[in-house]
Amino acid sequence: MQHPIFSSSIACELDVIASRQRARQIATACGFSSHDQARIATAVSELARNVFSYALEGKVGFSLAGMAGAQTLVVVIEDAGPGIEGLDRLLARGDSVDQLAGSGLLAARRFMDTCDITTGNCGTRIVLTKRLPANARMVSAVEVAQGMAGVSLPSNVALSEAHHQNRELTDALAALQERQDELVEVSRRLEQTNERVEQLNHQLNEKAASLMSADRQKNEFLSMLSHELRGPLSAASMAAQLLKQHPEAAPQTISLSDLISRQVSHMSRLVEDLLDVSRVSRGLISIVQAEVDMRDVVHAAIEQIMPAAQRKDQRVDLTLPATACMVDGDATRLVQVIGNLLGNAIRYTGPGGQIALTLEEQGGRCALRVADNGQGIAPELLPHLFDLYVQAETSSDRQHGGLGLGLALVKSLLELHGGTVLAASEGIGRGSTFDISLPLAQAGAMAREQEALTSA
Protein backbone atom coordinates (compact mmCIF):
# COMPACT_ATOMS: atom_id res chain seq x y z
CA MET A 1 0.00 0.00 0.00
CA GLN A 2 1.28 3.45 -0.94
CA HIS A 3 1.09 6.51 1.31
CA PRO A 4 1.17 9.84 -0.60
CA ILE A 5 3.76 12.41 0.44
CA PHE A 6 3.50 15.22 -2.05
CA SER A 7 2.36 15.97 -5.60
CA SER A 8 2.66 18.97 -7.90
CA SER A 9 1.83 19.97 -11.43
CA ILE A 10 4.31 20.49 -14.25
CA ALA A 11 3.31 23.37 -16.51
CA CYS A 12 6.41 25.53 -16.91
CA GLU A 13 10.18 25.45 -16.70
CA LEU A 14 10.20 26.57 -13.06
CA ASP A 15 7.96 23.60 -12.21
CA VAL A 16 10.67 21.34 -13.64
CA ILE A 17 13.29 22.94 -11.38
CA ALA A 18 10.89 22.81 -8.43
CA SER A 19 10.32 19.10 -9.00
CA ARG A 20 14.09 18.53 -8.74
CA GLN A 21 14.29 20.52 -5.48
CA ARG A 22 11.29 18.69 -3.98
CA ALA A 23 12.75 15.34 -5.01
CA ARG A 24 16.02 16.10 -3.24
CA GLN A 25 14.17 17.34 -0.11
CA ILE A 26 12.06 14.17 0.05
CA ALA A 27 15.12 11.95 -0.57
CA THR A 28 16.93 13.73 2.27
CA ALA A 29 14.00 13.23 4.64
CA CYS A 30 13.84 9.52 3.72
CA GLY A 31 17.48 9.01 4.76
CA PHE A 32 19.10 8.57 1.32
CA SER A 33 22.80 9.40 0.97
CA SER A 34 23.86 12.57 -0.86
CA HIS A 35 24.86 10.43 -3.84
CA ASP A 36 21.42 8.83 -4.07
CA GLN A 37 19.75 12.21 -3.45
CA ALA A 38 21.46 13.59 -6.56
CA ARG A 39 20.47 10.48 -8.56
CA ILE A 40 16.80 10.68 -7.54
CA ALA A 41 16.65 14.44 -8.15
CA THR A 42 18.27 14.07 -11.60
CA ALA A 43 15.92 11.25 -12.66
CA VAL A 44 12.80 13.18 -11.56
CA SER A 45 13.86 16.49 -13.16
CA GLU A 46 14.77 14.81 -16.46
CA LEU A 47 11.39 13.09 -16.71
CA ALA A 48 9.61 16.29 -15.63
CA ARG A 49 11.42 18.15 -18.41
CA ASN A 50 10.25 15.53 -20.90
CA VAL A 51 6.65 16.14 -19.72
CA PHE A 52 6.96 19.89 -20.20
CA SER A 53 8.79 19.57 -23.56
CA TYR A 54 6.49 17.02 -25.23
CA ALA A 55 3.15 17.04 -23.40
CA LEU A 56 3.23 20.68 -22.16
CA GLU A 57 1.75 19.72 -18.82
CA GLY A 58 1.54 16.83 -16.37
CA LYS A 59 2.20 16.05 -12.73
CA VAL A 60 4.64 14.36 -10.41
CA GLY A 61 3.75 12.57 -7.18
CA PHE A 62 5.82 11.07 -4.36
CA SER A 63 4.73 8.35 -1.94
CA LEU A 64 6.06 5.73 0.46
CA ALA A 65 5.34 2.00 0.29
CA GLY A 66 6.26 -0.98 2.45
CA MET A 67 6.93 -1.70 6.11
CA ALA A 68 9.83 -0.97 8.51
CA GLY A 69 13.19 -2.13 7.10
CA ALA A 70 11.73 -2.51 3.61
CA GLN A 71 10.35 0.89 2.71
CA THR A 72 10.39 2.15 -0.87
CA LEU A 73 10.13 5.65 -2.28
CA VAL A 74 7.70 5.68 -5.22
CA VAL A 75 7.70 8.50 -7.79
CA VAL A 76 4.95 8.73 -10.45
CA ILE A 77 5.33 11.12 -13.42
CA GLU A 78 2.40 11.21 -15.81
CA ASP A 79 0.99 13.32 -18.62
CA ALA A 80 -1.81 13.26 -21.20
CA GLY A 81 0.43 13.89 -24.19
CA PRO A 82 0.84 11.96 -27.46
CA GLY A 83 2.99 9.22 -25.90
CA ILE A 84 6.58 8.24 -26.59
CA GLU A 85 7.22 7.13 -30.15
CA GLY A 86 9.89 4.48 -30.66
CA LEU A 87 10.28 3.76 -26.93
CA ASP A 88 12.32 0.59 -27.51
CA ARG A 89 14.76 2.46 -29.75
CA LEU A 90 15.18 5.25 -27.19
CA LEU A 91 15.91 2.81 -24.40
CA ALA A 92 18.38 0.93 -26.61
CA ARG A 93 20.11 4.18 -27.60
CA GLY A 94 19.63 3.42 -31.27
CA ASP A 95 19.24 5.99 -34.04
CA SER A 96 16.58 7.85 -32.09
CA VAL A 97 15.17 11.14 -33.34
CA ASP A 98 15.09 12.63 -29.85
CA GLN A 99 18.25 12.42 -27.80
CA LEU A 100 16.82 14.45 -24.88
CA ALA A 101 13.91 12.14 -24.23
CA GLY A 102 16.17 9.14 -24.58
CA SER A 103 18.76 10.47 -22.12
CA GLY A 104 16.06 11.27 -19.55
CA LEU A 105 14.55 7.81 -19.70
CA LEU A 106 17.98 6.17 -19.60
CA ALA A 107 18.95 8.27 -16.56
CA ALA A 108 15.76 7.21 -14.76
CA ARG A 109 16.36 3.54 -15.53
CA ARG A 110 19.97 3.74 -14.39
CA PHE A 111 19.53 5.81 -11.23
CA MET A 112 16.40 4.14 -9.82
CA ASP A 113 15.77 0.54 -8.79
CA THR A 114 12.84 0.12 -11.16
CA CYS A 115 11.36 2.20 -14.00
CA ASP A 116 8.03 1.04 -15.40
CA ILE A 117 6.82 2.94 -18.47
CA THR A 118 3.31 2.85 -19.89
CA THR A 119 2.82 4.98 -23.01
CA GLY A 120 0.24 5.41 -25.74
CA ASN A 121 -1.96 7.95 -27.53
CA CYS A 122 -3.66 8.86 -24.24
CA GLY A 123 -0.42 9.79 -22.48
CA THR A 124 2.55 8.39 -20.60
CA ARG A 125 2.84 7.12 -17.04
CA ILE A 126 6.25 6.39 -15.52
CA VAL A 127 6.60 4.75 -12.10
CA LEU A 128 10.00 4.94 -10.40
CA THR A 129 10.99 3.15 -7.20
CA LYS A 130 14.02 3.42 -4.96
CA ARG A 131 14.38 1.29 -1.84
CA LEU A 132 15.35 3.21 1.31
CA PRO A 133 18.77 2.39 2.77
CA ALA A 134 18.82 -0.59 5.12
CA ASN A 135 20.16 1.53 7.97
CA ALA A 136 17.56 4.31 7.50
CA ARG A 137 15.07 4.81 10.29
CA MET A 138 11.35 4.13 9.78
CA VAL A 139 9.63 7.25 8.41
CA SER A 140 6.00 7.92 7.56
CA ALA A 141 4.59 9.79 4.60
CA VAL A 142 2.91 12.26 6.97
CA GLU A 143 6.23 12.97 8.73
CA VAL A 144 8.00 13.61 5.41
CA ALA A 145 5.14 15.81 4.16
CA GLN A 146 5.12 17.87 7.38
CA GLY A 147 8.87 18.32 7.14
CA MET A 148 8.49 19.63 3.60
CA ALA A 149 5.79 22.09 4.63
CA GLY A 150 8.33 24.06 6.61
CA VAL A 151 10.82 24.17 3.73
CA SER A 152 10.20 26.73 1.04
CA LEU A 153 11.54 26.59 -2.49
CA PRO A 154 14.34 28.93 -3.52
CA SER A 155 13.57 32.26 -5.21
CA ASN A 156 13.08 32.56 -8.96
CA VAL A 157 16.67 33.77 -9.37
CA ALA A 158 17.95 30.76 -7.46
CA LEU A 159 15.64 28.51 -9.47
CA SER A 160 16.98 29.97 -12.72
CA GLU A 161 20.53 29.34 -11.56
CA ALA A 162 19.54 25.83 -10.56
CA HIS A 163 17.97 25.41 -14.01
CA HIS A 164 21.25 26.42 -15.65
CA GLN A 165 23.18 23.97 -13.48
CA ASN A 166 20.60 21.30 -14.20
CA ARG A 167 21.10 21.78 -17.95
CA GLU A 168 24.85 21.46 -17.54
CA LEU A 169 24.38 18.29 -15.54
CA THR A 170 22.04 16.96 -18.22
CA ASP A 171 24.56 17.67 -20.97
CA ALA A 172 27.29 16.03 -18.92
CA LEU A 173 25.04 13.03 -18.33
CA ALA A 174 24.36 12.73 -22.06
CA ALA A 175 28.08 12.92 -22.82
CA LEU A 176 28.82 10.29 -20.19
CA GLN A 177 26.10 8.06 -21.56
CA GLU A 178 27.53 8.41 -25.07
CA ARG A 179 31.00 7.56 -23.80
CA GLN A 180 29.63 4.57 -21.89
CA ASP A 181 27.95 3.32 -25.06
CA GLU A 182 31.28 3.67 -26.87
CA LEU A 183 33.02 1.73 -24.08
CA VAL A 184 30.39 -0.99 -24.23
CA GLU A 185 30.95 -1.29 -27.99
CA VAL A 186 34.73 -1.37 -27.51
CA SER A 187 34.29 -4.03 -24.82
CA ARG A 188 32.14 -6.09 -27.17
CA ARG A 189 34.75 -5.86 -29.91
CA LEU A 190 37.50 -6.78 -27.46
CA GLU A 191 35.55 -9.85 -26.41
CA GLN A 192 35.19 -10.86 -30.05
CA THR A 193 38.91 -10.25 -30.61
CA ASN A 194 39.77 -12.29 -27.51
CA GLU A 195 37.63 -15.14 -28.81
CA ARG A 196 39.47 -15.03 -32.14
CA VAL A 197 42.83 -14.87 -30.35
CA GLU A 198 41.88 -17.90 -28.25
CA GLN A 199 40.91 -19.77 -31.40
CA LEU A 200 44.21 -18.82 -33.05
CA ASN A 201 46.14 -19.85 -29.93
CA HIS A 202 44.37 -23.19 -29.98
CA GLN A 203 45.24 -23.64 -33.65
CA LEU A 204 48.85 -22.60 -33.01
CA ASN A 205 49.12 -25.07 -30.14
CA GLU A 206 47.80 -27.81 -32.40
CA LYS A 207 50.26 -26.80 -35.13
CA ALA A 208 53.15 -26.70 -32.61
CA ALA A 209 52.25 -30.15 -31.30
CA SER A 210 52.04 -31.43 -34.87
CA LEU A 211 55.43 -29.92 -35.77
CA MET A 212 57.05 -31.33 -32.63
CA SER A 213 55.66 -34.76 -33.45
CA ALA A 214 56.89 -34.48 -37.06
CA ASP A 215 60.34 -33.34 -35.85
CA ARG A 216 60.54 -36.26 -33.42
CA GLN A 217 59.54 -38.70 -36.16
CA LYS A 218 62.11 -37.14 -38.51
CA ASN A 219 64.90 -37.55 -35.96
CA GLU A 220 63.87 -41.14 -35.28
CA PHE A 221 63.83 -41.83 -39.03
CA LEU A 222 67.30 -40.28 -39.51
CA SER A 223 68.67 -42.37 -36.68
CA MET A 224 67.15 -45.56 -38.07
CA LEU A 225 68.29 -44.73 -41.63
CA SER A 226 71.85 -44.08 -40.47
CA HIS A 227 72.04 -47.38 -38.62
CA GLU A 228 70.59 -49.26 -41.60
CA LEU A 229 73.09 -47.69 -44.03
CA ARG A 230 76.12 -48.53 -41.92
CA GLY A 231 75.95 -52.26 -42.74
CA PRO A 232 75.86 -52.03 -46.57
CA LEU A 233 78.55 -49.33 -46.56
CA SER A 234 80.88 -51.47 -44.44
CA ALA A 235 80.35 -54.41 -46.80
CA ALA A 236 81.02 -52.27 -49.89
CA SER A 237 84.20 -50.84 -48.34
CA MET A 238 85.46 -54.32 -47.47
CA ALA A 239 84.70 -55.61 -50.99
CA ALA A 240 86.58 -52.71 -52.55
CA GLN A 241 89.64 -53.41 -50.37
CA LEU A 242 89.58 -57.13 -51.26
CA LEU A 243 89.37 -56.36 -54.98
CA LYS A 244 92.32 -53.99 -54.69
CA GLN A 245 94.44 -56.49 -52.73
CA HIS A 246 93.82 -59.41 -55.13
CA PRO A 247 97.22 -60.46 -56.60
CA GLU A 248 95.83 -60.70 -60.12
CA ALA A 249 93.86 -57.45 -59.99
CA ALA A 250 94.08 -55.43 -63.18
CA PRO A 251 95.03 -51.73 -63.04
CA GLN A 252 91.48 -50.78 -63.98
CA THR A 253 90.14 -52.91 -61.12
CA ILE A 254 92.49 -51.19 -58.68
CA SER A 255 91.44 -47.78 -59.99
CA LEU A 256 87.75 -48.65 -59.64
CA SER A 257 88.37 -50.05 -56.15
CA ASP A 258 89.96 -46.75 -55.12
CA LEU A 259 86.96 -44.87 -56.56
CA ILE A 260 84.54 -47.11 -54.64
CA SER A 261 86.54 -46.68 -51.43
CA ARG A 262 86.50 -42.88 -51.74
CA GLN A 263 82.77 -42.75 -52.39
CA VAL A 264 82.01 -45.21 -49.59
CA SER A 265 84.17 -43.10 -47.25
CA HIS A 266 82.22 -39.99 -48.30
CA MET A 267 78.88 -41.73 -47.73
CA SER A 268 80.10 -43.02 -44.37
CA ARG A 269 80.88 -39.47 -43.27
CA LEU A 270 77.37 -38.38 -44.34
CA VAL A 271 75.86 -41.24 -42.36
CA GLU A 272 77.92 -40.32 -39.29
CA ASP A 273 76.78 -36.71 -39.63
CA LEU A 274 73.16 -37.85 -39.82
CA LEU A 275 73.63 -39.92 -36.67
CA ASP A 276 75.25 -37.01 -34.85
CA VAL A 277 72.47 -34.62 -35.91
CA SER A 278 69.88 -37.07 -34.64
CA ARG A 279 71.70 -37.39 -31.30
CA VAL A 280 72.15 -33.63 -30.92
CA SER A 281 68.48 -32.96 -31.77
CA ARG A 282 67.36 -35.42 -29.09
CA GLY A 283 69.98 -34.32 -26.55
CA LEU A 284 71.62 -37.76 -26.57
CA ILE A 285 75.11 -36.74 -27.60
CA SER A 286 77.71 -36.70 -24.83
CA ILE A 287 81.36 -35.77 -24.58
CA VAL A 288 84.14 -37.37 -22.53
CA GLN A 289 86.22 -34.49 -21.21
CA ALA A 290 89.91 -34.65 -20.49
CA GLU A 291 92.84 -32.28 -20.88
CA VAL A 292 93.69 -32.15 -24.58
CA ASP A 293 96.50 -30.35 -26.38
CA MET A 294 94.84 -28.59 -29.31
CA ARG A 295 98.06 -28.96 -31.30
CA ASP A 296 97.54 -32.74 -31.29
CA VAL A 297 93.91 -32.24 -32.29
CA VAL A 298 94.96 -30.07 -35.25
CA HIS A 299 97.53 -32.63 -36.43
CA ALA A 300 94.93 -35.42 -36.27
CA ALA A 301 92.46 -33.36 -38.28
CA ILE A 302 95.12 -32.43 -40.86
CA GLU A 303 96.00 -36.08 -41.27
CA GLN A 304 92.37 -36.85 -42.12
CA ILE A 305 91.91 -34.13 -44.74
CA MET A 306 95.35 -34.02 -46.41
CA PRO A 307 94.53 -36.64 -49.10
CA ALA A 308 91.58 -34.48 -50.26
CA ALA A 309 93.74 -31.33 -50.27
CA GLN A 310 96.50 -33.10 -52.25
CA ARG A 311 94.01 -34.29 -54.86
CA LYS A 312 93.14 -30.62 -55.50
CA ASP A 313 96.79 -29.50 -55.28
CA GLN A 314 95.92 -27.19 -52.38
CA ARG A 315 98.37 -25.87 -49.82
CA VAL A 316 97.51 -26.05 -46.09
CA ASP A 317 99.61 -23.68 -43.97
CA LEU A 318 99.83 -24.33 -40.20
CA THR A 319 100.77 -21.83 -37.52
CA LEU A 320 100.94 -23.49 -34.10
CA PRO A 321 102.22 -22.22 -30.75
CA ALA A 322 105.53 -23.52 -29.40
CA THR A 323 103.93 -24.54 -26.07
CA ALA A 324 100.92 -26.70 -25.34
CA CYS A 325 97.47 -25.18 -25.76
CA MET A 326 95.42 -27.28 -23.33
CA VAL A 327 91.62 -27.41 -23.19
CA ASP A 328 89.12 -29.59 -21.34
CA GLY A 329 87.37 -31.51 -24.07
CA ASP A 330 86.63 -34.66 -26.01
CA ALA A 331 89.56 -35.17 -28.41
CA THR A 332 87.50 -37.19 -30.90
CA ARG A 333 84.78 -34.58 -31.10
CA LEU A 334 87.27 -31.72 -31.38
CA VAL A 335 89.02 -33.50 -34.25
CA GLN A 336 85.58 -33.82 -35.87
CA VAL A 337 84.98 -30.07 -35.44
CA ILE A 338 88.29 -29.01 -37.00
CA GLY A 339 88.04 -31.70 -39.65
CA ASN A 340 84.63 -30.39 -40.70
CA LEU A 341 85.94 -26.82 -40.99
CA LEU A 342 88.99 -27.91 -42.98
CA GLY A 343 86.85 -30.20 -45.14
CA ASN A 344 84.54 -27.29 -45.97
CA ALA A 345 87.54 -25.10 -46.81
CA ILE A 346 88.90 -27.77 -49.20
CA ARG A 347 85.49 -28.37 -50.75
CA TYR A 348 84.75 -24.69 -51.48
CA THR A 349 88.30 -23.71 -52.52
CA GLY A 350 89.40 -24.33 -56.09
CA PRO A 351 92.44 -26.35 -57.29
CA GLY A 352 95.72 -24.75 -56.26
CA GLY A 353 94.04 -22.74 -53.51
CA GLN A 354 95.44 -21.88 -50.11
CA ILE A 355 94.09 -22.78 -46.66
CA ALA A 356 95.59 -21.41 -43.45
CA LEU A 357 95.05 -22.75 -39.92
CA THR A 358 96.26 -20.65 -36.99
CA LEU A 359 96.21 -21.69 -33.31
CA GLU A 360 97.08 -19.41 -30.39
CA GLU A 361 96.12 -18.39 -26.86
CA GLN A 362 94.13 -15.17 -26.46
CA GLY A 363 93.01 -13.80 -23.10
CA GLY A 364 92.68 -17.12 -21.30
CA ARG A 365 91.07 -18.85 -24.28
CA CYS A 366 92.22 -21.03 -27.12
CA ALA A 367 91.67 -19.30 -30.48
CA LEU A 368 91.73 -21.25 -33.73
CA ARG A 369 91.18 -19.76 -37.20
CA VAL A 370 90.59 -21.54 -40.52
CA ALA A 371 90.87 -19.20 -43.51
CA ASP A 372 90.76 -19.89 -47.25
CA ASN A 373 90.80 -18.00 -50.55
CA GLY A 374 87.90 -19.98 -51.96
CA GLN A 375 84.47 -19.04 -53.27
CA GLY A 376 83.39 -17.09 -50.15
CA ILE A 377 79.95 -16.73 -48.58
CA ALA A 378 77.08 -14.46 -49.65
CA PRO A 379 76.20 -11.81 -46.97
CA GLU A 380 72.55 -12.91 -46.77
CA LEU A 381 73.65 -16.47 -45.97
CA LEU A 382 76.01 -15.65 -43.08
CA PRO A 383 73.30 -15.32 -40.34
CA HIS A 384 71.96 -18.81 -41.21
CA LEU A 385 75.23 -20.58 -41.97
CA PHE A 386 75.16 -22.72 -38.81
CA ASP A 387 71.52 -23.81 -39.20
CA LEU A 388 70.75 -27.40 -40.18
CA TYR A 389 70.68 -28.23 -43.90
CA VAL A 390 72.10 -24.84 -44.94
CA GLN A 391 74.89 -24.74 -47.54
CA ALA A 392 76.96 -22.03 -49.14
CA GLU A 393 75.63 -23.11 -52.54
CA THR A 394 71.87 -22.73 -52.96
CA SER A 395 71.46 -23.14 -56.72
CA SER A 396 70.15 -26.35 -58.25
CA ASP A 397 73.38 -26.88 -60.22
CA ARG A 398 75.72 -26.68 -57.22
CA GLN A 399 79.08 -28.33 -57.75
CA HIS A 400 79.82 -29.58 -54.22
CA GLY A 401 78.01 -32.34 -52.33
CA GLY A 402 76.92 -32.57 -48.72
CA LEU A 403 73.72 -32.26 -46.71
CA GLY A 404 74.45 -29.00 -44.92
CA LEU A 405 75.06 -30.74 -41.58
CA GLY A 406 78.76 -30.08 -40.96
CA LEU A 407 78.62 -26.50 -39.68
CA ALA A 408 75.51 -27.17 -37.58
CA LEU A 409 77.41 -30.01 -35.89
CA VAL A 410 80.46 -27.78 -35.42
CA LYS A 411 78.35 -25.21 -33.57
CA SER A 412 76.55 -27.83 -31.43
CA LEU A 413 79.73 -29.68 -30.47
CA LEU A 414 81.56 -26.46 -29.59
CA GLU A 415 78.64 -25.32 -27.39
CA LEU A 416 78.93 -28.61 -25.49
CA HIS A 417 82.55 -27.63 -24.83
CA GLY A 418 81.63 -24.10 -23.76
CA GLY A 419 83.05 -22.71 -27.00
CA THR A 420 81.85 -20.55 -29.89
CA VAL A 421 82.32 -20.33 -33.65
CA LEU A 422 81.99 -17.30 -35.93
CA ALA A 423 82.03 -17.08 -39.72
CA ALA A 424 83.10 -14.12 -41.83
CA SER A 425 83.47 -13.42 -45.54
CA GLU A 426 83.94 -10.34 -47.67
CA GLY A 427 81.59 -11.80 -50.28
CA ILE A 428 81.43 -14.21 -53.19
CA GLY A 429 84.85 -15.10 -54.58
CA ARG A 430 86.75 -13.50 -51.68
CA GLY A 431 87.28 -16.46 -49.37
CA SER A 432 85.96 -17.13 -45.88
CA THR A 433 87.18 -17.27 -42.29
CA PHE A 434 85.97 -19.38 -39.35
CA ASP A 435 87.05 -18.47 -35.81
CA ILE A 436 86.76 -20.93 -32.92
CA SER A 437 87.14 -19.94 -29.27
CA LEU A 438 87.46 -22.49 -26.45
CA PRO A 439 88.18 -21.97 -22.74
CA LEU A 440 91.62 -23.10 -21.71
CA ALA A 441 91.90 -25.98 -19.23
CA GLN A 442 91.86 -24.61 -15.68
CA ALA A 443 94.82 -26.68 -14.45
CA GLY A 444 96.99 -25.71 -17.41
CA ALA A 445 96.09 -22.06 -17.20
CA MET A 446 96.90 -21.94 -13.48
CA ALA A 447 100.26 -23.70 -14.03
CA ARG A 448 101.28 -21.24 -16.75
CA GLU A 449 100.22 -18.35 -14.59
CA GLN A 450 102.30 -19.68 -11.68
CA GLU A 451 105.27 -20.22 -14.00
CA ALA A 452 105.05 -16.65 -15.24
CA LEU A 453 104.96 -15.35 -11.64
CA THR A 454 107.96 -17.49 -10.69
CA SER A 455 110.06 -16.36 -13.64
CA ALA A 456 109.18 -12.75 -12.88
Side-chain angles (χ1 to χ4, degrees), residues 1-58:
M1 182 176 177
Q2 296 185 14
H3 303 280
I5 298 174
F6 173 82
S7 65
S8 64
S9 61
I10 303 170
C12 64
E13 185 67 34
L14 291 179
D15 291 339
V16 174
I17 306 301
S19 68
R20 179 185 182 88
Q21 299 297 325
R22 290 301 187 191
R24 180 178 281 277
Q25 291 169 0
I26 292 172
T28 302
C30 290
F32 286 102
S33 66
S34 59
H35 186 66
D36 281 338
Q37 292 172 25
R39 286 171 168 262
I40 294 169
T42 299
V44 171
S45 66
E46 286 301 302
L47 294 179
R49 175 167 287 102
N50 286 350
V51 170
F52 174 65
S53 299
Y54 301 104
L56 300 182
E57 60 179 352

Side-chain angles (χ1 to χ4, degrees), residues 230-246 257 260-262 264-265 268:
R230 271 180 158 180
L233 287 174
S234 297
S237 178
M238 184 178 297
Q241 291 297 324
L242 291 174
L243 284 174
K244 183 178 179 180
Q245 293 172 4
H246 195 279
S257 297
I260 293 172
S261 295
R262 287 196 302 272
V264 167
S265 176
S268 296

Side-chain angles (χ1 to χ4, degrees), residues 436-453:
I436 288 176
S437 176
L438 285 166
L440 290 173
Q442 292 299 318
M446 291 176 63
R448 284 189 295 276
E449 203 171 295
Q450 185 63 33
E451 183 181 347
L453 290 173

Side-chain angles (χ1 to χ4, degrees), residues 374-408:
Q375 71 177 42
I377 305 167
E380 63 272 14
L381 188 62
L382 278 173
H384 311 287
L385 199 60
F386 295 97
D387 296 344
L388 281 173
Y389 313 115
V390 172
Q391 290 184 300
E393 289 180 305
T394 56
S395 62
S396 58
D397 60 344
R398 60 194 181 95
Q399 300 175 357
H400 307 288
L403 300 176
L405 303 176
L407 292 179

Side-chain angles (χ1 to χ4, degrees), residues 51-353:
V51 170
F52 174 65
S53 299
Y54 301 104
L56 300 182
E57 60 179 352
K59 61 181 180 179
V60 57
F62 301 85
S63 60
L64 278 173
M67 304 297 292
Q71 286 184 289
T72 301
L73 175 64
V74 181
V75 184
V76 179
I77 299 102
E78 51 189 344
D79 63 65
I84 304 174
E85 183 179 355
L87 177 63
D88 292 338
R89 274 192 302 130
L90 287 173
L91 297 180
R93 291 293 289 173
D95 298 329
S96 70
V97 295
D98 198 329
Q99 297 296 326
L100 178 59
S103 63
L105 292 172
L106 288 168
R109 285 164 61 93
R110 182 172 294 105
F111 294 161
M112 305 298 283
D113 291 341
T114 64
C115 177
D116 296 326
I117 305 172
T118 305
T119 187
N121 295 331
C122 297
T124 300
R125 187 172 190 268
I126 302 175
V127 180
L128 308 175
T129 66
K130 187 77 170 177
R131 188 168 180 174
L132 270 63
N135 58 352
R137 67 181 182 84
M138 176 70 177
V139 294
S140 66
V142 174
E143 181 183 352
V144 176
Q146 289 175 348
M148 286 185 56
V151 180
S152 61
L153 290 174
S155 64
N156 288 346
V157 174
L159 287 175
S160 297
E161 179 63 23
H163 167 62
H164 177 68
Q165 294 178 359
N166 193 51
R167 283 263 31 105
E168 290 180 345
L169 286 172
T170 301
D171 293 341
L173 177 65
L176 287 173
Q177 179 61 47
E178 184 177 354
R179 181 54 56 89
Q180 182 176 5
D181 291 343
E182 292 175 358
L183 291 175
V184 168
E185 177 63 20
V186 170
S187 178
R188 184 184 65 81
R189 291 178 181 175
L190 284 175
E191 288 178 359
Q192 293 177 348
T193 302
N194 285 337
E195 289 177 359
R196 289 196 293 269
V197 169
E198 288 179 0
Q199 292 174 357
L200 289 174
N201 282 336
H202 181 67
Q203 293 174 5
L204 287 174
N205 289 335
E206 289 182 343
K207 290 288 186 183
S210 176
L211 288 173
M212 289 177 65
S213 176
D215 186 60
R216 184 174 59 255
Q217 292 174 1
K218 179 259 298 179
N219 289 331
E220 291 173 355
F221 171 76
L222 289 177
S223 178
M224 179 182 67
L225 176 65
S226 301
H227 282 292
E228 291 297 324
L229 287 175
R230 271 180 158 180
L233 287 174
S234 297
S237 178
M238 184 178 297
Q241 291 297 324
L242 291 174
L243 284 174
K244 183 178 179 180
Q245 293 172 4
H246 195 279
E248 299 180 1
Q252 184 178 14
T253 301
I254 296 174
S255 176
L256 290 175
S257 297
D258 289 338
L259 174 63
I260 293 172
S261 295
R262 287 196 302 272
Q263 296 305 316
V264 167
S265 176
H266 177 63
M267 292 182 66
S268 296
R269 285 196 300 273
L270 293 179
V271 169
E272 290 299 326
D273 283 349
L274 282 173
L275 270 175
D276 285 338
V277 165
S278 174
R279 294 181 188 126
V280 169
S281 299
R282 292 184 291 170
L284 300 179
I285 198 166
S286 60
I287 58 174
V288 180
Q289 285 194 331
E291 280 205 0
V292 179
D293 187 346
M294 285 299 294
R295 296 179 304 174
D296 297 336
V297 172
V298 170
H299 284 303
I302 291 290
E303 185 179 348
Q304 288 183 1
I305 58 90
M306 276 308 293
Q310 290 169 353
R311 283 194 296 270
K312 297 183 72 173
D313 195 24
Q314 294 172 341
R315 192 178 75 193
V316 180
D317 296 327
L318 287 180
T319 303
L320 303 178
T323 58
C325 185
M326 306 299 293
V327 299
D328 287 321
D330 188 318
T332 302
R333 292 300 184 182
L334 290 174
V335 170
Q336 182 181 2
V337 165
I338 299 174
N340 277 351
L341 291 181
L342 289 171
N344 269 2
I346 292 169
R347 181 183 306 163
Y348 293 108
T349 301

